[in-house]
Every structure is written in structure tokens, then in C-alpha cells.
């Protein structure tokens, strides 16, 4: 079993889904949990709308507590891959594969592409505005609850 490093991105497979998150088996590195807030860049009400059991996902290790519990993020793995892919990389060809990766990418979650504002209808823009404002309100409520020391059950 390999040692997991905080900040690194790994391949994994969803092994269980609960109302507050998903458990992911990391290839060669044990199991961690993706909290519901770390699944997508949008508000997630129902995890099963975004993930299915046995689905392959890319996860970023965002924390490991004293008890050894691993916290993972799918949305930060996406952000990390976007910034890494925007930097120029040297491509090395491996012998035998002609430089192409023949592995299928079936059942790998990818975020929806956002279209530019110039191509969006008024209804689409209102929908996006409503979604982002709801996300911001949730974030504000969460941060004020933390500051006040209150938590909902």
C-alpha cells in the first residue's frame, strides 16, 4: 500500500455513497471520503445525481487527520488538472502504444462545460446567476455558523 500525500491527485473507485459523502477506494492506497461539498463545483443536493457506485473518479487528497482518516475532493482534483493541463508539458512516447492512451474513459465524471455569456439566452444567464447566488449563500451561512459555533443536525 502506497503512502498518500496531501495535495496529490489519485485514481479511485466509488465504493459507497451516504447522505453526506462518498467513500472512494484509492488505487493502491486505502480508502478516503469525499464530503458532499467536495463532489462538484455546483450545489449538490443528492450525491447519486453526480456519482454511482463502482464509478472511476480522480480525487485529490485534501487532508489526513490524526486517526488516519483521509479527506478527498473531486472538484479540487478537476481544478488541479485544469491548471496542470494549461501549463506546457513535454510529451514522451512510450514504446508500444504510439503515444496514445488506449484505456477507455467510460464512467469517469467530468464537469459540464460552461458556455460564454455571449452565447447564452437570458433564461440561461438567470439560471446560472441563481445557482451561483445560492452557492454563495450556502457558503456564507456555513462560515457564519462556524464563527457562531452553531451547527445544524
Amino acid at each position: 500500500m502506497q503512502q498518500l500525500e496531501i495535495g496529490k491527485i489519485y485514481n479511485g473507485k466509488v465504493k459507497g455513497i451516504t447522505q453526506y459523502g462518498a467513500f472512494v477506494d484509492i488505487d493502491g492506497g486505502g480508502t478516503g471520503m469525499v464530503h458532499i461539498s467536495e463532489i462538484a463545483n455546483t450545489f449538490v443536493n443528492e450525491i447519486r445525481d453526480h456519482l454511482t457506485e463502482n464509478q472511476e473518479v480522480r480525487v485529490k487528497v485534501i487532508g489526513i487527520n490524526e486517526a488516519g482518516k483521509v479527506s478527498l475532493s473531486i472538484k479540487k482534483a478537476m481544478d488541479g488538472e485544469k491548471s496542470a493541463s494549461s501549463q506546457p508539458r513535454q510529451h514522451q512516447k512510450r514504446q508500444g502504444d504510439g503515444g496514445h492512451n488506449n484505456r477507455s474513459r467510460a464512467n469517469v465524471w467530468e464537469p459540464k462545460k460552461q458556455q460564454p455569456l455571449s452565447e447564452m439566452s437570458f433564461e440561461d444567464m438567470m439560471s446560472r446567476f441563481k445557482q451561483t447566488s445560492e452557492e454563495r449563500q450556502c457558503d456564507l451561512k456555513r462560515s457564519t455558523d462556524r464563527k457562531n459555533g452553531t451547527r445544524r443536525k
Side-chain angles (χ1 to χ4, degrees):
M1 188 164 107
Q2 73 185 36
Q3 183 70 28
L4 297 176
E5 292 181 44
I6 295 174
K8 286 222 172 179
I9 296 174
Y10 297 92
N11 290 320
K13 189 177 273 193
V14 178
K15 281 300 172 192
I17 296 176
T18 67
Q19 67 183 27
Y20 54 86
F23 290 93
V24 175
D25 277 351
I26 300 168
D27 292 352
T31 302
M33 196 198 72
V34 180
H35 188 266
I36 190 168
S37 64
E38 293 294 332
I39 288 175
N41 285 319
T42 60
F43 177 76
V44 176
N45 188 36
E46 179 57 49
I47 295 172
R48 293 182 191 276
D49 293 343
H50 296 267
L51 297 173
T52 58
E53 291 189 11
N54 294 318
Q55 177 178 346
E56 291 183 19
V57 291
R58 300 278 288 156
V59 291
K60 182 173 188 174
V61 177
I62 57 172
I64 302 173
N65 72 9
E66 305 84 42
K69 292 185 178 178
V70 180
S71 297
L72 304 171
S73 174
I74 293 173
K75 70 180 183 182
K76 287 183 179 147
M78 296 290 170
D79 293 343
E81 288 178 344
K82 283 180 198 168
S83 63
S85 64
S86 65
Q87 298 170 354
R89 276 190 272 171
Q90 290 182 327
H91 294 283
Q92 296 176 344
K93 286 188 177 184
R94 284 181 273 154
Q95 282 185 317
D97 72 355
H100 297 295
N101 187 351
N102 293 327
R103 220 172 57 173
S104 70
R105 291 185 46 93
N107 208 12
V108 175
W109 180 86
E110 292 183 10
K112 293 177 184 171
K113 304 282 188 255
Q114 292 207 349
Q115 60 188 128
L117 288 174
S118 60
E119 296 176 9
M120 294 177 74
S121 71
F122 178 74
E123 287 80 16
D124 291 338
M125 286 190 274
M126 284 301 292
S127 176
R128 183 191 283 183
F129 172 78
K130 182 181 173 200
Q131 180 181 6
T132 55
S133 65
E134 286 174 352
E135 290 170 3
R136 288 179 181 160
Q137 284 182 328
C138 283
D139 289 343
L140 282 170
K141 175 140 179 53
R142 197 175 298 131
S143 68
T144 55
D145 284 351
R146 279 193 209 116
K147 288 177 187 171
N148 294 337
T150 58
R151 288 189 172 224
R152 291 188 321 180
K153 289 188 179 186

